[in-house]
């Protein structure tokens, strides 16, 4: 197929899940098994279209489709543009393929729900996933805001889906408040840029901003970063994340943590490197600080948790920090590590949340202190959880080893010693937090579980598929790097090529090669060092879990939406000051 014919397929990966969302409730009411077929096939079909265009895009081509055939006139774009490069395609592929696996688990887990409720749940899931795919493929700032809103609306409803549970309603209210603030920030930034430049197309805005940024443009940059940092759950914009991830059902938590928050980081990368490349250096320090605080702070809070899903939620904050650190390096190696870790995080965090959901389904237990004896009762489930934990810890041959190694290598080569040390500290604390969870499964069971249920075949299949993917991406890193990650990082860093493509109906991005040694002696030496450091951290966390100092640390996450909004406002002020005031000081 020609590039033009492939470009005409670009809207389909978004349109098909949207159509599936419309059909799913009807299918559930007519014939319950049809719900699974319709909803899963919608995402698989979306992924299939993306696979069809993948060889061309990963070959360096940017596919561009102007909706309504409203193409540029003298460099001016009036309509909505879809521009598919390797960076956006990578996230879209992950969202569609992993989303299909999560949907299999969800439909199987919710087999006892009524037809109406099951159809509504699948509809909301498909809406959110379609929004993530659309946001990854769009080349229009306002269209990006629209997809953000669609994802936000679906996330409110999914968080509060079980209305009989007061914590779910409370968490949904927090998501509603904080995400609405983030939406408002993105909308104001979009309005500022449109007022200044009369453009919404990312390529057209890039040309207008290069060498011509003023205070309003830089304020818009700060607003955009703050808005999408809220979606990503970076500190101090993170207040909504632990509560929402904890109360949502396992597959919904996996959707939020594995895909939705990744969307925030992927979009920040697009904004900083594709839209504002001339001012990117001014915000790299901000991204590094946000990343380090999130990585270390999220890991510490994860270590202090007894609720398994809350532990995993805080670890998500930590992993988003690691991704922000990778972006902040601004090096080809660091960007490659970020792209790789985006894929890896979607896999291993989805696996861990599905395992947590399976434990709740089978035993009714939510706290680690009530999960003793699980290794003896469900060894294969504990094995799947251990695979996910080892992947996050960066233990070879699992996938996290390669992506973390690339980010560490970028920091080392950039002589960023303090960030390097803090990143390693965050990794050691993460190993301790997840190690504490794994050890809890092997302790002797003292009390019976609240219930004794068997996992359904769809749930088992989903766990097996994602665990297998974690292993596959770890044992074949050369192929993944050469064919997927290098094109993705090159597409993000080559703003002029992306701009030319979206304004001329297509273009080419030249790939760059990443130098990476799998058996890096330093990286291999750091593995036992982090494990050795993690052991006393586990002991300290258990020994002083009820101490006054620990209670004070936990009190930062107060549960009050007012406090969380205050954290967000403080983060907003710091972000805008960092982007808008630093150039004036110079």
């Amino acid at each position: 197929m020609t590039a033009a014919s492939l470009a005409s397929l670009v809207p389909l990966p978004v349109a098909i899940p949207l159509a599936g969302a419309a059909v799913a409730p009807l299918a559930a009411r007519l014939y319950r098994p049809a719900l699974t077929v319709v909803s899963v096939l919608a995402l698989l079909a979306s992924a299939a279209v993306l696979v069809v265009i993948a060889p061309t895009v990963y070959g360096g081509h940017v596919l561009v489709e102007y909706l309504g055939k409203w193409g540029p006139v003298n460099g001016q774009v009036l309509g909505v543009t879809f521009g598919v490069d390797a960076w956006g395609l990578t996230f879209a592929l992950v969202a569609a393929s992993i989303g299909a696996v999560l949907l299999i688990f969800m439909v199987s887990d919710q087999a006892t729900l009524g037809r109406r409720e099951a159809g509504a749940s699948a509809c909301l899931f498909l809406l959110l996933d379609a929004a993530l795919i659309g946001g990854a493929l769009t080349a229009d700032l306002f269209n990006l805001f629209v997809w953000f809103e669609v994802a936000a609306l679906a996330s409110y409803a999914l968080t509060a889906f079980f209305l009989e549970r007061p914590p779910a309603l409370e968490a949904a209210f927090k998501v509603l408040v904080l995400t609405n603030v983030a939406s408002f920030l993105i909308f104001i930034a979009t309005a500022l840029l449109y007022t200044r430049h009369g453009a919404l197309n990312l390529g057209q805005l890039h040309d207008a901003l290069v060498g011509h940024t003023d205070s309003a443009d830089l304020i818009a940059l700060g607003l955009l970063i703050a808005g999408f940092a809220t979606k990503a759950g970076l500190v101090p914009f993170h207040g909504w994340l632990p509560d929402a991830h904890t109360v949502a059902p396992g597959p919904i938590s996996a959707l939020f943590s594995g895909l939705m928050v990744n969307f925030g980081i992927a979009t920040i990368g697009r904004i900083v490197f594709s839209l504002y490349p001339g001012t990117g250096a001014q915000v790299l320090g901000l991204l590094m600080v946000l990343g380090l605080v999130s990585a270390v702070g999220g890991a510490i809070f994860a270590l202090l948790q007894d609720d398994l899903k809350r532990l995993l939620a805080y670890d998500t904050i930590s992993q988003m920090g690691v991704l922000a650190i990778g972006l902040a390096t601004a090096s080809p190696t660091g960007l490659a590590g970020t792209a790789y870790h985006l894929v890896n995080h979607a896999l291993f965090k989805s696996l861990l949340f599905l395992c947590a959901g399976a434990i709740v389904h089978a035993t009714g237990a939510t706290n680690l202190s009530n999960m003793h004896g699980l290794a003896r009762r469900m060894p294969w489930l504990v094995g799947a959880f251990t695979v996910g934990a080892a992947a996050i810890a960066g233990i070879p041959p699992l996938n996290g080893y390669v992506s973390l190694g690339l980010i560490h290598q970028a920091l080392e080569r950039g002589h960023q010693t303090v960030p390097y040390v803090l990143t390693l500290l965050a990794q050691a604390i993460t190993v301790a937090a997840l190690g504490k969870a794994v050890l809890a499964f092997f302790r002797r069971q003292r009390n019976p579980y609240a219930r004794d249920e068997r996992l359904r075949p769809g749930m088992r299949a989903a766990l097996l598929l994602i665990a297998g993917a974690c292993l596959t991406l770890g044992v074949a890193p050369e192929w993944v790097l050469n064919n997927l990650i290098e094109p993705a990082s090159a597409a993000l860093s080559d703003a002029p090529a992306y701009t030319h493509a979206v304004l001329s109906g297509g273009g080419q991005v030249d790939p760059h090669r990443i130098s990476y040694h799998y058996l890096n002696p330093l990286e291999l030496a750091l593995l036992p060092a982090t494990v050795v450091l993690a052991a006393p951290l586990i002991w300290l966390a258990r020994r002083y879990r009820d101490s006054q100092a620990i209670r004070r640390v936990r009190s930062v996450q107060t549960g009050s939406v007012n406090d969380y909004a205050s954290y967000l406002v403080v983060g907003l002020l710091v972000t805008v000051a960092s982007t808008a005031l630093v150039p004036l000081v110079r």
Side-chain angles (χ1 to χ4, degrees):
M1 297 178 70
T2 65
S5 58
L6 287 174
S8 66
L9 300 177
V10 167
L12 289 179
V14 186
I16 294 173
L18 289 176
V23 174
L26 179 61
R29 293 198 181 195
L30 293 177
Y31 183 55
R32 178 60 182 268
L35 171 64
T36 304
V37 175
V38 168
S39 55
V40 174
L41 279 183
L43 287 179
L44 289 178
S46 177
V49 176
L50 293 171
V51 169
V52 169
I53 67 176
T56 300
V57 174
Y58 285 117
H61 201 82
V62 180
L63 296 178
V64 178
E65 175 69 7
Y66 303 107
L67 298 189
K69 303 303 178 184
W70 284 25
V73 178
N74 298 324
Q76 306 294 312
V77 183
L78 296 179
V80 174
T81 305
F82 273 16
V84 185
D85 64 353
W87 177 262
L89 179 62
T90 299
F91 181 78
L93 267 171
V94 167
S97 55
I98 296 181
V101 178
L102 298 182
L103 195 51
I104 291 172
F105 187 101
M106 187 185 77
V107 173
S108 184
D109 185 32
Q110 298 179 352
T112 58
L113 281 183
R115 294 187 178 187
R116 177 179 178 181
E117 291 78 9
S121 179
C123 172
L124 292 168
F125 189 106
L126 289 168
L127 277 178
L128 199 156
D129 214 351
L132 299 180
I133 297 170
L137 303 183
T138 189
D140 182 275
L141 188 58
F142 187 78
N143 191 234
L144 182 62
F145 164 76
V146 170
W147 293 125
F148 182 98
E149 281 291 277
V150 174
L153 289 170
S155 67
Y156 308 152
L158 286 170
T159 304
F161 189 77
F162 293 97
L163 297 175
E164 70 277 8
R165 304 175 185 173
L169 291 175
E170 181 182 351
F173 178 72
K174 294 170 185 174
V175 177
L176 174 67
V177 171
L178 299 183
T179 309
N180 264 341
V181 173
S183 300
F184 182 70
L185 299 180
I186 296 169
F187 181 78
I188 294 299
T190 304
L192 277 174
L193 291 174
Y194 185 73
T195 301
R196 282 274 295 117
H197 305 288
L200 295 170
N201 180 275
L202 296 184
Q204 191 177 339
L205 280 172
H206 168 270
D207 283 348
L209 288 168
V210 171
H212 301 91
T213 53
D214 61 10
S215 296
D217 297 325
L218 296 172
I219 289 172
L221 173 59
L223 294 174
L224 289 170
I225 292 175
F228 286 105
T230 303
K231 178 64 74 176
L234 290 173
V235 176
F237 308 96
H238 69 289
W240 65 274
L241 192 150
D243 292 345
H245 287 54
T246 301
V247 303
I252 303 304
S253 298
L255 176 65
F256 289 173
S257 192
L259 300 178
M260 189 173 73
V261 296
N262 281 10
F263 173 68
I265 291 292
T267 307
I268 289 174
R270 176 70 77 195
I271 290 166
V272 171
F273 291 96
S274 298
L275 190 58
Y276 281 88
T279 57
Q282 299 168 4
V283 300
L284 296 181
L286 170 67
L287 288 180
M288 183 64 77
V289 171
L290 292 176
L292 291 172
V293 173
S294 300
V296 177
I300 291 173
F301 271 87
L303 181 60
L304 302 180
Q305 305 306 311
D306 186 48
D307 186 293
L308 177 58
K309 291 181 69 177
R310 200 167 187 84
L311 183 156
L312 297 177
Y314 278 112
D315 182 68
T316 293
I317 295 172
S318 181
Q319 295 303 309
M320 291 302 102
V322 173
L323 288 167
I325 292 168
L327 286 178
T329 64
S331 68
T333 303
L335 295 181
T338 303
Y340 210 142
H341 207 62
L342 274 171
V343 177
N344 290 342
H345 181 262
L347 287 169
F348 52 57
K349 191 50 64 69
S350 294
L351 175 61
L352 290 175
F353 268 112
L354 290 187
C355 288
I359 292 171
V360 174
H361 175 93
T363 68
T366 57
N367 292 337
L368 292 173
S369 53
N370 296 326
M371 296 179 184
H372 298 172
L374 198 64
R376 183 175 181 179
R377 183 178 181 275
M378 306 181 73
W380 66 270
L381 180 56
V382 172
F385 188 95
T386 304
V387 167
I392 292 182
I395 297 176
L398 296 167
N399 53 348
Y401 171 75
V402 182
S403 55
L404 286 172
L406 286 166
I407 294 174
H408 294 166
Q409 183 174 294
L411 293 170
E412 180 191 1
R413 290 179 177 178
H415 304 291
Q416 297 175 289
T417 305
V418 173
Y420 187 28
V421 171
L422 291 176
T423 302
L424 294 177
L425 175 62
Q427 184 178 349
I429 302 173
T430 296
V431 173
L434 295 172
K436 184 183 76 169
V438 173
L439 290 175
F441 302 150
F442 286 88
R443 295 183 183 278
R444 180 178 298 179
Q445 182 181 359
R446 299 185 182 278
N447 300 310
Y449 299 126
R451 60 172 175 261
D452 185 8
E453 297 284 346
R454 295 179 61 86
L455 297 188
R456 300 184 176 93
M459 302 168 72
R460 294 173 181 264
L463 292 173
L464 180 62
L465 285 170
I466 299 182
C470 288
L471 181 60
T472 301
L473 265 67
V475 298
E478 292 291 338
W479 186 92
V480 177
L481 273 173
N482 294 337
N483 295 281
L484 305 179
I485 303 305
E486 288 176 355
S489 62
L492 184 65
S493 59
D494 195 347
Y498 178 80
T499 297
H500 173 76
V502 298
L503 292 178
S504 58
Q508 194 75 20
V509 177
D510 295 328
H512 51 234
R513 290 300 172 191
I514 305 298
S515 174
Y516 175 73
H517 302 290
Y518 189 86
L519 299 178
N520 185 331
L522 177 59
E523 199 66 26
L524 291 174
L526 289 172
L527 286 173
T530 56
V531 174
V532 169
L533 180 58
L537 290 175
I538 295 173
W539 180 84
L540 288 171
R542 288 183 53 82
R543 176 69 175 79
Y544 297 101
R545 61 181 179 271
D546 295 323
S547 67
Q548 186 177 4
I550 296 299
R551 288 197 296 269
R552 286 179 178 175
V553 173
R554 286 174 175 162
S555 66
V556 174
Q557 193 78 15
T558 63
S560 168
V561 70
N562 296 328
D563 290 340
Y564 298 164
S566 300
Y567 299 161
L568 191 155
V569 171
V570 171
L572 169 64
L573 294 175
V574 171
T575 301
V576 172
S578 300
T579 58
L581 298 184
V582 170
L584 297 180
V585 172
R586 290 180 179 178

